[in-house]
Amino acid sequence: MAKYYKIALSILMISAIIISCKKDSPVDEDGLLITFRQECFVSNFELLGADFVSVRSKTAVIDTVAQTIDVEVLFGTDLKNVYPQFSLATDCKLDPKITGKTDLSNLASPKVYTVVSGNRKIRKAYKLNIKFQ
Amino acid sequence: MRNKNIQFSFLVIMMLASMVACKKEEYVIPDPVSQLTNDCIKRTIGPSIVSLPLEFAYAMAIPKSSGKLVSAQVEASIAGASGTYLEHRSFFTNASGVDVPVLVGSPSVTVDKTTKMTYSVDTSAATLRYYYVIPEEARGQSVSFTFSVTSSDGKTASYKMGPYTISRMSIRRNLAVSNGVNAFISIEDMAVYNAAAAAPISGKIDLVYLFRAAPTTFTHALVSPGADAAYLPGVVLPSGVNRSTKLRKVFNLQDRNLANLQFGIYVDDVDLKNVDMVDMPNYAIGLRAEAGVWVETADKKYRAYIYINSINPAGTAVISMLRYTL
């Protein structure tokens, strides 16, 4: 009888090990799910000031072919302390990541943000052009 | 057989444990007050700021058969500022939720740290309010209180409250500023000056209030005298007024004390101490009512939070400020 218990226990243990080691889905270096999606674009852009209120004077123009974002900001906007917000196609991610306030004051050298598709195989670099009202 | 006995015993223990765990504790009616009793709550919430009152509600009672209340007193660890008093009226809350006063004694007398009120009516229960106006000496320190009551049978009951840490902030409310007139703001003095008054104290002037209808995004602004001329259009600064003060705009931070007891948000010492002012600009334009700005003076001696109480398109505004010495 004890022999059967041992066999059953061994089978259960092996099954548990197999199940626990099985990789469900691939994830990237950020722990995000890598999917089959190939879409790779910016769908919307917002720019907030230090008070978390929008500093845009009009809607940002996103050119997904030329891969540019043109945004006009209000007079007096302090571009050293702004919070850019990107809306991306499903499963995409942004590189570099936006982790807090960002310095976009160097208008002569527009910052470039790269959109990475859901399958992590397509990368599109968007140039962020800012001008004052 | 032995295993079966063990299993049975275990089952019995488990059942007993379940029964004990589910036993409902009977409610016990508390003993009625049989002697002089007192209780106290602090009604003021938020930071304790010098010049503002701390409010307490002190309740006391004695069985009618034992006597009546004779006097009540509060002793503070630091003497309160002018305006400290213990109510000589007892309050009850009526059906509409309104606190209704009933006169129970003569106005309180404050001598040094002690405020005393003597009952003039025959009463065996009362709730008195105590207002302690925080004095300058208490800034940054702790203050505690001992409430006590004496009854006609010679008994005394007391209740300790605190200690409460007093904020290092200073407060100034409802300062009227106007474009081109009372436009020069000193954080050190927590005051507003016109150009003539600002000239002799140029080293204390941290901000200029101005209003410009165009561009439409400019409107009401607080600008450092040392800011770019683009943010001081048409402004003639008094000689020597040139400090560069850092400002950070904030929205939706309506401090209750600054907003004249509206809203439920408080700015405290820790906020002014920890606010990130690195790389902040020296101007804040497009200010609206109920918005605010964090301020750090050029000499890094003070930080402040300026709240915009109201604005007027004619080029005036009312501001209030909290100041913290770094």
Side-chain angles (χ1 to χ4, degrees):
Chain A
M1 192 66 177
K3 191 180 169 187
Y4 289 121
Y5 277 127
K6 281 181 184 172
I7 292 167
L9 190 67
S10 304
I11 291 168
L12 276 171
M13 291 276 287
I14 292 163
S15 305
I17 291 165
I18 291 168
I19 290 165
S20 65
C21 295
K22 191 184 169 190
K23 203 169 183 181
D24 291 330
S25 305
V27 291
D28 64 10
E29 67 280 6
D30 295 321
L32 298 171
L33 196 64
I34 298 173
T35 65
F36 296 102
R37 291 184 185 276
Q38 296 182 14
E39 295 88 347
C40 186
F41 58 88
V42 175
S43 57
N44 194 26
F45 179 79
E46 179 59 279
L47 194 62
L48 305 179
D51 54 357
F52 304 109
V53 175
S54 177
V55 292
R56 288 182 296 101
S57 60
K58 56 178 79 165
T59 307
V61 178
I62 302 164
D63 188 332
T64 54
V65 178
Q67 292 170 208
T68 57
I69 301 169
D70 296 321
V71 59
E72 184 182 274
V73 296
L74 300 169
F75 170 77
T77 298
D78 171 34
L79 288 174
K80 277 193 167 186
N81 299 288
V82 286
Y83 297 86
Q85 290 182 337
F86 290 81
S87 298
L88 307 176
T90 309
D91 295 343
C92 289
K93 68 173 188 176
L94 199 66
D95 182 27
K97 298 180 189 72
I98 297 167
T99 54
K101 71 176 184 181
T102 307
D103 184 353
L104 298 176
S105 61
N106 189 355
L107 300 183
S109 174
K111 200 147 186 162
V112 174
Y113 288 93
T114 302
V115 183
V116 185
S117 65
N119 63 8
R120 303 292 183 261
K121 289 177 181 171
I122 301 166
R123 297 174 68 87
K124 287 189 176 175
Y126 277 74
K127 190 185 280 188
L128 181 57
N129 300 311
I130 299 175
K131 68 174 182 178
F132 278 95
Q133 188 181 24
Chain B
M1 188 64 183
R2 194 176 166 219
N3 277 349
K4 276 189 177 174
N5 283 342
I6 292 168
Q7 281 177 6
F8 180 73
S9 305
F10 181 70
L11 193 67
V12 169
I13 290 166
M14 286 289 286
M15 283 176 72
L16 281 170
S18 313
M19 286 168 76
V20 171
C22 296
K23 192 185 172 192
K24 198 176 179 183
E25 283 184 22
E26 289 297 321
Y27 175 73
V28 180
I29 298 169
D31 286 334
V33 174
S34 56
Q35 57 185 351
L36 182 63
T37 308
N38 62 169
D39 199 354
C40 188
I41 56 165
K42 179 169 173 273
R43 285 171 59 92
T44 308
I45 55 171
S48 306
I49 302 171
V50 170
S51 79
L52 297 186
L54 288 179
E55 184 188 348
F56 298 86
Y58 181 46
M60 60 216 89
I62 185 172
K64 200 174 178 183
S65 57
S66 301
K68 60 177 184 176
L69 301 174
V70 173
S71 67
Q73 70 171 43
V74 189
E75 185 178 352
S77 59
I78 300 172
S82 173
T84 295
Y85 71 101
L86 181 63
E87 268 282 8
H88 59 292
R89 297 172 300 170
S90 179
F91 287 83
F92 70 92
T93 308
N94 68 10
S96 309
V98 178
D99 286 348
V100 180
V102 178
L103 197 74
V104 293
S106 49
S108 64
V109 177
T110 301
V111 178
D112 194 24
K113 296 175 181 175
T114 306
T115 304
K116 188 173 182 179
M117 194 282 294
T118 305
Y119 285 94
S120 61
V121 296
D122 185 353
T123 184
S124 54
T127 298
L128 305 179
R129 305 288 164 85
Y130 173 60
Y131 298 90
Y132 174 79
V133 180
I134 303 169
E136 182 60 43
E137 303 84 70
R139 187 185 299 279
Q141 298 188 44
S142 288
V143 62
S144 50
F145 304 89
T146 304
F147 292 79
S148 56
V149 56
T150 307
S151 57
S152 60
D153 61 354
K155 298 271 176 61
T156 300
S158 64
Y159 202 100
K160 288 189 183 299
M161 294 293 282
Y164 304 104
T165 302
I166 305 302
S167 166
R168 292 175 59 189
M169 294 185 294
S170 300
I171 189 168
R172 198 69 185 269
R173 288 186 276 210
N174 302 324
L175 295 165
V177 290
S178 53
N179 181 54
V181 188
N182 290 321
F184 300 95
I185 301 163
S186 167
I187 300 297
E188 184 175 333
D189 292 354
M190 302 183 81
V192 179
Y193 300 101
N194 60 24
I201 53 163
S202 57
K204 286 184 176 181
I205 302 301
D206 300 291
L207 295 168
V208 181
Y209 165 79
L210 64 158
F211 174 82
R212 296 291 180 272
T216 51
T217 53
F218 200 104
T219 60
H220 300 267
L222 290 173
V223 181
S224 160
D228 191 288
Y231 304 111
L232 291 164
V235 174
V236 179
L237 295 170
S239 174
V241 174
N242 58 9
R243 298 186 99 186
S244 184
T245 311
K246 284 183 179 176
L247 294 123
R248 178 177 181 165
K249 285 170 72 174
V250 197
F251 203 62
N252 277 336
L253 183 56
Q254 303 102 326
D255 177 83
R256 184 173 173 81
N257 287 316
L258 298 181
N260 297 317
L261 304 183
Q262 297 180 79
F263 311 103
I265 307 169
Y266 290 96
V267 171
D268 210 335
D269 288 26
V270 69
D271 302 309
L272 284 156
K273 196 174 168 186
N274 294 342
V275 64
D276 180 12
M277 296 300 287
V278 177
D279 289 334
M280 285 299 152
N282 53 7
Y283 60 89
I285 65 171
L287 296 173
R288 289 176 270 175
E290 295 182 13
V293 283
W294 298 107
V295 181
E296 184 181 271
T297 57
D299 56 7
K300 296 191 191 305
K301 193 175 172 187
Y302 300 106
R303 276 190 184 160
Y305 178 66
I306 296 181
Y307 176 74
I308 315 292
N309 294 91
S310 64
I311 54 171
N312 188 311
T316 62
V318 176
I319 62 170
S320 297
M321 70 169 84
L322 282 167
R323 187 196 66 185
Y324 179 85
T325 307
L326 291 170

